[in-house]
Amino acid sequence: MTNKIKAAIIGSSGYAGEELTRILANHSFVEIKYLTSKSYLGQNYSDIYQNFNKIINIKCEEDNLDRISKEVDVIFLALPHGIASSKVNYDVLKNSKVIDLGADFRIRDANVYEYWYKTKHNAKSLLNEAVYGLCEIYYGDIKNARLVANPGCYTTCSILSLFPLLKENLIKEESIVIDAKSGVTGAGRSVNLNVHYCETNENIKAYKIASHRHTPEIEQELSLASNKNIALQFTPHLVPMNRGILVTCYAKLKENISTETIKDAYLKYYKDKYFIRLLKDNLYPETKWVKGSNFIDIGIFKDERTNNVIVSGAIDNLVKGAAGQAVQNMNIMFGLDEKTGLQNAPFFP
Amino acid sequence: MTNKIKAAIIGSSGYAGEELTRILANHSFVEIKYLTSKSYLGQNYSDIYQNFNKIINIKCEEDNLDRISKEVDVIFLALPHGIASSKVNYDVLKNSKVIDLGADFRIRDANVYEYWYKTKHNAKSLLNEAVYGLCEIYYGDIKNARLVANPGCYTTCSILSLFPLLKENLIKEESIVIDAKSGVTGAGRSVNLNVHYCETNENIKAYKIASHRHTPEIEQELSLASNKNIALQFTPHLVPMNRGILVTCYAKLKENISTETIKDAYLKYYKDKYFIRLLKDNLYPETKWVKGSNFIDIGIFKDERTNNVIVSGAIDNLVKGAAGQAVQNMNIMFGLDEKTGLQNAPFFP
Amino acid sequence: MTNKIKAAIIGSSGYAGEELTRILANHSFVEIKYLTSKSYLGQNYSDIYQNFNKIINIKCEEDNLDRISKEVDVIFLALPHGIASSKVNYDVLKNSKVIDLGADFRIRDANVYEYWYKTKHNAKSLLNEAVYGLCEIYYGDIKNARLVANPGCYTTCSILSLFPLLKENLIKEESIVIDAKSGVTGAGRSVNLNVHYCETNENIKAYKIASHRHTPEIEQELSLASNKNIALQFTPHLVPMNRGILVTCYAKLKENISTETIKDAYLKYYKDKYFIRLLKDNLYPETKWVKGSNFIDIGIFKDERTNNVIVSGAIDNLVKGAAGQAVQNMNIMFGLDEKTGLQNAPFFP
Amino acid sequence: MTNKIKAAIIGSSGYAGEELTRILANHSFVEIKYLTSKSYLGQNYSDIYQNFNKIINIKCEEDNLDRISKEVDVIFLALPHGIASSKVNYDVLKNSKVIDLGADFRIRDANVYEYWYKTKHNAKSLLNEAVYGLCEIYYGDIKNARLVANPGCYTTCSILSLFPLLKENLIKEESIVIDAKSGVTGAGRSVNLNVHYCETNENIKAYKIASHRHTPEIEQELSLASNKNIALQFTPHLVPMNRGILVTCYAKLKENISTETIKDAYLKYYKDKYFIRLLKDNLYPETKWVKGSNFIDIGIFKDERTNNVIVSGAIDNLVKGAAGQAVQNMNIMFGLDEKTGLQNAPFFP
C-alpha cells in the first residue's frame, strides 16, 4: 500500500479507545489523524496516557464528525450507548467508513434495543445497513460494509464459544447458561466506588443477574445460528485483574451426541480461523494466554454423567472484545490481511 | 466454663491449619496443646507463620494420635485425603473427639469415595459413626458426635446455597449447574507452578471440569435433601485473590414457582441461622463482605424470561469453608454457643 | 468493669472509621453509641459496609459534638484536616475524652502546621493540652489526657523505626532517608482516578517527593528524641495492595557504632513494649505478618561497607497506623490494659 | 536486509527467555532457530508457554553451543550465573555473536565477582573482551563487540537514574542510597514458597539488605562515571505485581548545585537517547507507563530543605531490564536501528 489509511478515534480517552490507539500506532498501514475526547479536550493525549510519551503527539479535539469524516478514511467510535446513533448519518458514511465499538448498531431490532437499553434509538434507518462485525462469522458482509457494529466483549466470547453447537443443532436451546467473568477494564475508566482499588481487589461478585445488556446481543446471534428463538441465562462477574474475559458455557446435549461430533462441529466452522485457537484435550483456556492479543482460546468438555457440554472461552476484553476486533474489521473492510497489526504474541506475564 | 477445652491440630502448617490456629488462639474456652507438622517438625510455629510471633509459643510435634488423644479433648485433622482415615480409630475416639477437615469421612458410601478419590478407604467401619458437619443442617447429630467430617469449602457454599430449593422440591434436579470461583488459598500452601504468583495473578481459568472431587459430596447432600438421585454440573475456577469462594448456581424452576415461594423456602430453613445472611433484594454476595468470618451471604434471583432461579453464595473458604466451621462444630459438640470465638466482624478491606 | 465505655465515631464511613468500628464492635468494654457520616446521613451503617450485616445495627447521624459529647465517654474523630480543630472545644472536652485520628493536633507548632497544611489552625489554644498519642513513647501523658492526637500512619511506622537511634545519638541526623511504601487504603475511600483499580493495580510509584505532610510530624518527634533540629528525607510510595506500610530507613552511623550497640538501643526502649516485635537476625519485616494487628515489626541491619544503619519497619496502616492505635490510646486513657480488644493474631493470608 | 539474523535462545524457559522469544518473534529481521531448555527438553515451546500457540512452533533442544554457534548469527544466554562462563569460549565467539543476559561477564574484576557470587569465575580470559551492554552508555563499544554482558534489571534502572549526577560530579558519593522495588517476575519462574501467590500477594518486604549481587555492578559503573571508588547502599524490595522496577535514589548534593544544573546534566547525556524519557516537572515515573516497553522514565527532584537530590526511575524489568535491552544490543551489534522490534507502545493497562 502506498497511502496509509487515515483514522480517527472518537472517544479516545476510555480504555477501549486507548487500546485502539495503541494497536493503530503500531499498524504499518494506518496513520492516526484525530483523537477526540470530551473530558480532555485540548490536552496532549500523551499526558492522559503517559505510556504514549514519545509515541503519540496529538492533542484531543472535538468530535465533529461532519468535518472529520471528510479528512479520514475510517472513523472508530468508542462512545457511550445512545451517542453514536445520534452522530452517524448518511453524509458521514458517504465520506468515511465507520466502525462503532458501542452498542447502538448491534441489535437489529430497534424494539429489543429500546427494551434493554431504556432509551430511544436515534438512527433506526441505518440499522439495515449496519453489519454485525463478528469477523469469524460475517467476514463476507464486513468486506462490503460502510458501517460496522463491533460486537461487545462478553458477546464476542460467548457467541464464538457456542456458535457451532447451535449451528449444528447439538444442544437443547432452553438449557443454555453462560457464566462470564471479566477483568476491571470492562467497567471503564470513569471513577466510582465500584472500581475503587480496595473495593475490587481481593473480591469477586456477580452483578446484573438476568439483566445485563449483552444478553439480547448473544441471543440475537445464537438465534440466527440455530434458526430458533433463544432465551438464555447470562451472568457477568467482576474479577480482580485488569484484562480478560472467561466464559464458562453450559448446555444439555440432545440425544446421542458424542464428543467427536461436538469437536467436529467446532473444526467445521473454526479450523481456518486464525484468531480462534481450539485447545488440545485436557487444556483449559486461561485469560493470561490471550492477554494483549486478538485470540480466543476455546476448550470443549462433555460430562457423560450429566449429558452436558461445557465450553470455556477466553479473550482479552480490550482486544478481541473491543479494539483488536475493530482493527480486524478495518483490515477486512480495506482489503488487508485481517491479521495486519494484530500479530504480536500474547503478552505474558 | 472452668476448664478450657484442650485442642490439638494435626497438620497445622497448611493454610486451613493456620487459620484454625488463629481462630483458636482467640477462643476464650480453648487451649491449644499440640500443633503437629511433618514438614516443619521441631520448628517454632511462629517461625513458619511469623504472624504468631508473641502469640503462639509452640514447637511442631509428630502426629502420634494415640498419645495425643489421651492429653486433649478435641483433635482437629487437617491432612491430605487418605491419611486421616488411617490415623483415626476407636481408641482415639474413646479418648478424644475428632473433627476431620479432610475428605475421608464426608462421603457416606465408600464406593463413591473410592471412585472419585482413586484410593482405598482405610476406615470403612467408622463411616457410620461419622457425622457430616454442615452445622446449619446437622446441628442435632453434631451435638452427639465423636467424629465429625467437616465439609469441603466448595461444598459448604454450594449445598447451603441450594438446600432449600431441593428440600422444597422447587427445581428440576437434572438442570443444576454450579459455577464456583475460589481464591488461591484453596489450592493449599505446597509449591508448584500453578500457584506461582506470576502464573496466577492477572488470570482466571476453570479447572477439573466434570471431575472435581467436591462433586459427589454436593450430590450426596442435595440428593438426601430432595430424596432423589442427583447428578449435577460443578465447575471450579481459580481467581487471583487470597481468600473467598463465590458460587453462582443455576436451575430450571418447576412450573408456577413464584419468587415469593422461593424466598419463603430460604426463610423456612435459614431465618434462625446466625451464620446465614439472606441478602435484601438487588444486593449481590461479594466475597469481601464475608472475609475472615463464618458467614455465608446468599442472594436469590428469578429470571422470568428463562424460568431459571439463580442463587449466588459467598463464603471465606478458610473460615466457613474450613477452620471456622470446624470451630463451630467443636462449639456444638462441647455444648457451647456455636458463635463462640467466631464473632469478629468480617475483615474489610 | 461494670459499665461499658460509650463511644462515638465521627466520620465513620472512611476506611479508618470502618476499621475502628470493626475493632470496637469486638471490644469487651465498649459500646458504640454513635456513628456519624456526612455522605451517608440517615443510612444504615451495615448498608455502607455490608460486612457489618447482623453485627452493627446503627444509622449514621449528624456530627453534633455538643450533643454527642454529653452522651458518650469518648469521641473518635476521623475527619479531614482542618475540620477536627473547628469542632473540638473546651465544652466538648469537659464532657468527653477525644481521640483525633486526623492531623490537627499532632503538630505542636501552629506555624509549622499552617506551612505544611496551607490552612489556618482553628484551635491553637488546645495545642498545649493535646497529647501526641504514640503510645510506646508517651504512655504516661496519654494516661492523663483529655485530648489525644493519634499519630499518622507513615509517622507511626517511621518514628518507632528510628526513635532509639536518635534517642541514643547513634546516627548523623542530616543523613536520614525514609523510603515508605503504603497500601491503597492509605489513600482513603473517596473516588478519583488515582485509586481506580486499573490505574493502581500492577503499578508502583513515588508521590509527593519532598512535600508529604507526614514529614514535619516525623521531624518533630525525632527532633525531640535527639534534642536537635532534624530535617529528613521522606518519600511515600503507593503499592498495589489493600493494607500495610513498610518503611525502609537509612542513616549514616556516627563513628565506631557496633551492631551490638544498635541492638541494645532498641532493646532499651522496646523490650517491654508488647506491640513492638524486634525481629531475629536475618528476618525481614513483611506487611503480611502484621496485617489486621496492632504490631510493628522492626528489623535492624548494619552495612559495614557503607557504615549505614538500615531499619525496616512494617505496620498495618489501618490498625497501628490509625484505628488500632486509637483504641490503644483509649485503653490507656480509661485505665484498661492497652492490649484489650487488640489481641487477635495478625490475619494471614 | 535480505537475510534474517538467525538467533538461538539458550535457557528459553525462564521469564527473561520467554520475553526475548516474544520480542524476537515480532522482530522483522530475526528468525528464531533454536530454543533450548533443560527442564523442558523435547517439549513444544508453545506447550510451556501457551501464549505462543500458533506463533512459535519449535521444540526445546539441548544447549550444545559448539553446534548451535555454527548455525546461528547470535546466541542469547539466559542462564543462572556460573553457567554461561563455562559455556562460552573463543570457538563459540568465532562462529557467533553472544549476548549474555546473566551476570558472568558484567563484573570486570573477577575478584569482585567471586566475592559477591561466592563461586569461581570460569572464563576470566574473556572478561577483557566482554562489553557491558548498557546501550545508552556503551553504544560505540557494543557496535564492535562479539560478547556483550547484558546488564541486570536493578542495575540498568539504577545506573541510568544516577549516571549524569556522577559524571558531572554533582553529589557526595558516599551518600548514595538506592531504594529499589521489583515485580515478581524478577524472582524467576522456579517455584518456592517466596513466590507462592498467597505469600506474595498483599505484601511488601525488603530483602538481601546490604548483600544483593547487583550492588557491585552498580558501583562499578558509577565508579567509572565519577572516577572515584564508590560504595553505595542498595536495597531491593518485592512488590505484588508481575512486572516493573522502580528505583528511588537519594544523594546529598555538593554545594550550590541548582535544580537547573541537575536537569542540564540529564539533558546533556540523555536528550538524544530514544529509550530514556525525562519527565516533565511534577510528574512521577510509574511502572505502568513503561510496561512492555524498552523505555526508562526518569523524574528528578531537589529538596531545598535537605539539599538532597531524589531521582526516581521506572523500567519494565523484563524489557529494558533484560530481553528488550538484549535486543537493543543485538540491533546495535548488527548495524540495525536500535529501536527495531522495540517500538510498540507500552502496554496499558
Side-chain angles (χ1 to χ4, degrees), chain D residues 12-32:
Chain D
S12 65
S13 60
Y15 288 134
E18 189 267 344
E19 184 72 357
L20 194 48
T21 305
R22 198 178 69 82
I23 295 172
L24 293 181
N26 197 43
H27 192 294
S28 315
F29 304 126
V30 172
E31 177 194 1
I32 300 174

Side-chain angles (χ1 to χ4, degrees), chain A residues 105-272:
Chain A
F105 299 105
R106 294 178 191 156
I107 307 287
R108 290 158 202 239
D109 182 337
N111 294 323
V112 172
Y113 176 89
E114 295 182 344
Y115 171 82
W116 285 86
Y117 286 84
K118 315 287 180 216
T119 183
K120 253 180 60 75
H121 196 286
N122 300 309
K124 292 183 192 176
S125 64
L126 288 172
L127 283 175
N128 261 333
E129 164 137 15
V131 170
Y132 190 69
L134 191 52
C135 308
E136 282 71 19
I137 314 279
Y138 293 107
Y139 187 94
D141 297 334
I142 295 162
K143 241 176 138 68
N144 305 306
R146 295 194 299 183
L147 171 57
V148 163
N150 208 55
C153 51
Y154 283 128
T155 49
T156 294
C157 198
S158 300
I159 296 166
L160 291 178
S161 293
L162 287 169
F163 179 82
L165 294 176
L166 289 149
K167 198 74 182 172
E168 293 296 301
N169 197 24
L170 303 181
I171 56 175
K172 299 186 181 166
E173 297 79 11
E174 75 284 359
S175 70
I176 300 171
V177 168
I178 301 172
D179 191 283
K181 297 92 177 166
S182 174
V184 186
T185 47
R189 207 192 193 200
S190 48
V191 298
N192 61 64
L193 198 55
N194 281 324
V195 293
H196 189 298
Y197 183 83
C198 302
E199 305 291 321
T200 305
N201 186 35
E202 296 294 293
N203 188 42
I204 185 167
K205 65 174 174 185
Y207 64 100
K208 291 195 187 158
I209 288 182
S211 60
H212 193 278
R213 285 160 172 170
H214 284 180
T215 311
E217 195 181 330
I218 304 169
E219 289 178 348
Q220 164 181 288
E221 294 304 314
L222 296 184
S223 294
L224 284 165
S226 66
N227 241 325
K228 281 178 194 140
N229 228 330
I230 290 182
L232 52 77
Q233 203 62 48
F234 172 74
T235 309
H237 297 76
L238 193 63
V239 178
M241 59 186 194
N242 285 343
R243 289 172 180 243
I245 281 179
L246 186 81
V247 299
T248 314
C249 308
Y250 304 87
K252 223 28 119 188
L253 287 162
K254 293 192 171 163
E255 270 170 49
N256 298 320
I257 307 296
S258 70
T259 300
E260 207 180 2
T261 304
I262 300 169
K263 301 214 160 164
D264 284 349
Y266 280 83
L267 284 173
K268 176 172 173 188
Y269 294 98
Y270 292 160
K271 73 169 178 298
D272 297 329

Side-chain angles (χ1 to χ4, degrees), chain B residues 118-134:
Chain B
K118 314 289 179 215
T119 184
K120 255 180 59 77
H121 196 287
N122 299 309
K124 293 182 190 176
S125 65
L126 288 174
L127 283 176
N128 261 333
E129 165 136 15
V131 169
Y132 189 69
L134 192 52

Side-chain angles (χ1 to χ4, degrees), chain B residues 4 19 50 58 112 122-123 172 208 224 258 261 287 334:
Chain B
K4 289 199 172 186
E19 184 73 357
Q50 295 176 44
I58 296 180
V112 173
N122 299 309
K172 299 186 182 167
K208 290 194 186 158
L224 285 166
S258 70
T261 303
T287 57
F334 284 85

